[in-house]
Amino acid sequence: MPFVQTSRIKLYVERAGGAGLPLLYISGTGGDLRVKPSAMDTPLAKVFDFVSYDQRGLGQSEKPPAPYTMADYADDAAALLDELGWKKANVIGYSFGGMVAQNLAIRHPQRIERLVLAATSPGGAGGSSYPLHELRAKPLDERIRAQVLLDARLSPADLEAPTPAIQMRFKMTNAMEERLASSPDVQAGFLAQIGARKGHDCWDGLAKLNMPTLICSGLHDLMARPEASRAMAKRIPGAKLRWYDGAHGFQLECPAFFDDVARFVRGEALAPNGLERFDEAG
């Protein structure tokens, strides 16, 4: 490390902790470990043998010619587990990473001890996440506004006199757009990723999973909607559903998320958080 040559692709990998249970973190759309804060800055990196990586086409990992498929991303993760010497690992996937984790669990179920799916959607009959591939056709200003409004607590009127919190969202979204425009390689990797994401559909395979699974969802998330989380929780046998009072970035809004993940990975019970009433009706 930090570069790992797998049987499929050369990946940029970071590892921390080392003393706890193995935990692989699969990041979201456009993920790049050089952008801070990253997964390596979360509390999970301190208490587990924690690994995260730049996915194909992104960050410092190899950038083979597109197109890519969701199976490519899943098989890359399995190949990384091989190189780490992990026959089985706990896996958390956030947003697009949750889609990859679903595909990994379906294609390589024997490799996963416990599975956390956060801010993600199953696709198909269970519901898809917001169509980012369609958003790319919009003008930049419109695109940024649309992304900021992927929070059910906000309306267009809120953007006319934005609070400091909304200003911060604009700043973060602008930074992401600037990074995507910074080089042809960065943009190509992102476009290949959202192209693969367009075809994500794990609905049939989720019903066959048998590893303990925790589904984490933001109540105000219009990127990966709460109804898709409910559908996944009903589809995966024995899955637990956990709500957070946030939108798509609830891991930043709700620090308790990391404690819940740590408890789940250790096989400990989660304490009630007062949002269980949303499990069924919303």
Side-chain angles (χ1 to χ4, degrees):
M1 280 183 244
F3 289 96
V4 174
Q5 179 64 60
T6 75
S7 59
R8 294 175 47 80
I9 190 170
K10 187 176 183 180
L11 298 172
Y12 177 80
V13 179
E14 293 189 10
R15 189 171 188 172
L21 297 168
L23 177 59
L24 179 69
Y25 185 102
I26 308 178
S27 60
T29 304
D32 183 335
L33 286 168
R34 293 172 294 190
V35 178
K36 298 298 182 179
S38 76
M40 306 308 297
D41 301 308
T42 69
L44 300 175
K46 297 180 176 67
V47 295
F48 295 104
D49 186 358
F50 187 84
V51 169
S52 189
Y53 65 103
D54 292 339
Q55 298 190 67
R56 63 167 50 220
L58 300 174
Q60 299 176 80
S61 286
E62 188 178 347
K63 298 169 177 61
Y68 305 156
T69 66
M70 294 306 300
D72 285 330
Y73 292 101
D75 292 348
D76 289 348
L80 176 57
L81 293 179
D82 289 339
E83 294 304 316
L84 293 170
W86 290 354
K87 291 184 179 179
K88 293 190 83 169
N90 302 285
V91 173
I92 172 172
Y94 200 98
S95 191
F96 177 83
M99 300 180 193
V100 176
Q102 291 171 58
N103 281 274
L104 174 63
I106 291 166
R107 293 175 65 80
H108 306 277
Q110 74 283 1
R111 307 304 302 268
I112 299 182
E113 189 71 46
R114 286 176 170 264
L115 178 65
V116 180
L117 302 174
T120 195
S121 305
S128 297
S129 288
Y130 187 86
L132 289 178
H133 57 284
E134 296 178 7
L135 193 60
R136 301 316 295 176
K138 297 181 182 295
L140 178 60
D141 287 350
E142 188 177 342
R143 195 159 68 231
I144 290 173
R145 285 174 61 88
Q147 291 176 78
V148 171
L149 287 171
L150 289 172
D151 181 333
R153 295 167 293 189
L154 300 181
S155 71
D158 294 313
L159 307 190
E160 300 309 314
T163 63
I166 295 174
Q167 291 174 13
M168 179 57 67
R169 293 187 191 198
F170 271 111
K171 182 178 178 181
M172 293 172 65
T173 307
N174 267 302
M176 175 70 167
E177 290 290 344
E178 288 173 1
R179 186 161 60 85
L180 292 177
S182 65
S183 79
D185 279 351
V186 171
Q187 190 167 78
F190 172 78
L191 292 176
Q193 191 179 35
I194 64 172
R197 178 185 185 277
K198 180 169 61 174
H200 169 67
D201 182 354
C202 282
W203 185 246
D204 290 342
L206 292 179
K208 302 171 186 175
L209 298 185
N210 59 13
M211 70 283 294
T213 301
L214 175 65
I215 295 164
C216 300
S217 181
L219 286 170
H220 314 291
D221 188 353
L222 298 181
M223 175 76 80
R225 290 177 174 270
E227 53 264 35
S229 294
R230 290 190 188 94
M232 278 196 299
K234 292 177 180 177
R235 188 70 167 171
I236 301 173
K240 297 181 176 160
L241 180 57
R242 188 72 162 178
W243 297 103
Y244 299 90
D245 191 13
H248 195 63
F250 63 77
Q251 64 175 337
L252 299 176
E253 296 184 78
C254 309
F257 164 70
F258 296 110
D259 183 58
D260 290 342
V261 171
R263 287 178 176 275
F264 176 76
V265 169
R266 294 190 189 111
E268 300 169 2
L270 304 185
N273 69 358
L275 300 177
E276 290 77 15
R277 65 188 182 278
F278 293 102
D279 285 356
E280 295 296 332

